[in-house]
Amino acid sequence: MQATVIETEQEQEPQIHLWSIADYHQMIEAGVLDEDDRVELLEGKIVCMSPQRPFHAASVQRSANYLYEMLRGKAYIRTQLPVILGNDSEPEPDIAVVRFDANEYSFRHPEVSDIYLLIEVADWTISKDRKQKARIYGKNQVLEYWILDLQKRQVYVFRQPEEGSYGEELILNSNDTATMQAFPDVAIALDALFAIAQN
């Protein structure tokens, strides 16, 4: 008896179109995306950003105010504004500590060579920030990346960027003090980055 071979159609993976930064900017210029669309470009995908709760928003503001005072005359502190990473990512980190620019970034967004530190404030997004954002920032050679974990009042510090990750990851408590690699002479009291906890 001869076996009959039945050819079945192989299931194809759906094709996903990935966008470049140029594509993304064209969508913005054409009005397809505007400031009401809370999105960012991550690895070619247009991703919705999480809504902000009061504690998250207060921590972003408190961090920005504190870092502005600590780094006055040394760097710009940008809050929830775009940075350019490679050809396929334009995230909007909660805090970006960047080099001074003669035109105050009027004609371009900061690129990796401008960035001293990126900070994400994580309420419910800790997994995304530790995996996806760390991968994107690491592979694009962002010098240093911190996550403020609002749930545990801890700070994740990522240093030594390498392909797709970081070589060093520290977990510090909010009562610790840290320094940035770019400004080792500036002691940062981590508790000053978090919103005041409710009693």
Side-chain angles (χ1 to χ4, degrees):
M1 182 176 169
Q2 190 174 2
T4 305
V5 178
I6 301 172
E7 289 188 17
T8 57
E9 202 175 299
Q10 286 193 343
E11 204 171 302
Q12 298 267 334
E13 286 286 322
Q15 296 296 310
I16 296 171
H17 180 83
L18 299 178
W19 305 98
S20 69
I21 287 175
D23 297 330
Y24 186 61
H25 287 178
Q26 282 184 335
M27 284 186 263
I28 293 168
E29 292 297 322
V32 175
L33 297 171
D34 62 29
E35 62 269 9
D36 294 330
D37 295 305
R38 285 190 43 78
V39 296
E40 57 188 347
L41 183 68
L42 301 177
E43 298 177 305
K45 299 171 189 169
I46 298 172
V47 179
C48 292
M49 292 190 285
S50 302
Q52 292 190 48
R53 299 181 176 172
F55 198 74
H56 179 281
S59 294
V60 172
Q61 186 65 60
R62 190 166 153 93
S63 295
N65 291 346
Y66 178 71
L67 290 172
Y68 175 79
E69 291 301 324
M70 297 302 292
L71 299 172
R72 185 188 295 270
K74 296 177 183 285
Y76 283 139
I77 310 302
R78 292 167 54 97
T79 56
Q80 299 173 334
L81 296 172
V83 296
I84 300 285
L85 300 179
N87 188 47
D88 65 355
S89 292
E90 190 175 301
E92 297 187 15
D94 289 311
I95 305 283
V97 179
V98 299
R99 294 180 191 281
F100 289 122
D101 178 72
N103 298 304
E104 299 181 330
Y105 297 102
S106 298
F107 308 110
R108 66 182 183 90
H109 296 311
E111 298 175 3
V112 73
S113 60
D114 302 305
I115 298 168
Y116 295 123
L117 170 68
L118 296 182
I119 300 176
E120 296 289 358
V121 177
D123 194 347
W124 305 106
T125 60
I126 189 69
S127 179
K128 174 186 172 187
D129 292 332
R130 284 190 73 186
K131 293 176 185 171
Q132 184 182 32
K133 289 286 182 79
R135 181 179 69 245
I136 293 168
Y137 297 162
K139 80 177 182 182
N140 284 287
Q141 299 296 304
V142 171
L143 179 65
E144 190 164 0
Y145 168 45
W146 294 5
I147 305 170
L148 305 188
D149 183 346
L150 300 185
Q151 300 282 323
K152 296 180 179 177
R153 288 185 79 88
Q154 292 179 329
V155 179
Y156 295 83
V157 175
F158 296 85
R159 293 176 175 149
Q160 299 173 10
E162 52 190 40
E163 186 58 38
S165 67
Y166 283 86
E168 180 183 342
E169 179 182 347
L170 307 172
I171 302 175
L172 305 175
N173 293 316
S174 61
N175 58 359
D176 291 331
T177 299
T179 59
M180 294 168 51
Q181 286 186 306
F183 303 107
D185 57 323
V186 178
I188 297 171
L190 298 181
D191 192 55
L193 305 179
F194 292 87
I196 297 166
Q198 195 170 22
N199 293 329

